[in-house]
Amino acid sequence: MLRSRCVAAARRTCVAPSRGLAKKAKPAASGSAAPAAEPGVNAVRGCNILKEGEDPTMKPDEEYPEWLWTIHIPKPGYEELVAKAETQGPDSLTHDEARWLLRGYAKARIKEHNVRRAKK
């Protein structure tokens, strides 16, 4: 299910917008050949950026790095991190969470300073 969401997102972001009207189809000859075979089912259509290249194919999930499957998980907000640090202690935060907490604290302090300065 996660893979299908990732593929759908990739298709939405990789498809280039059309730049004009489509060309009119030429009339088919009476003895035309059979239609061309469809590209592989595992091809990610529309992600090719080269003129004469092919669409990339999807690999098995095991061949992708682990971090790829956690991209869609949002980062916790400043208030959530403050609450976690107050209830569970600052040692419960991961390195990244502690860094985000300090950045949020610095931003809040700067905003508060600017508000006080504007009132003068």
Side-chain angles (χ1 to χ4, degrees), residues 40-62:
V41 176
N42 289 335
V44 182
R45 293 182 183 169
C47 286
N48 178 30
I49 59 171
L50 304 174
K51 267 189 174 180
E52 297 186 14
E54 295 179 1
D55 289 333
T57 58
M58 289 187 296
K59 300 175 185 176
D61 290 350
E62 296 81 33

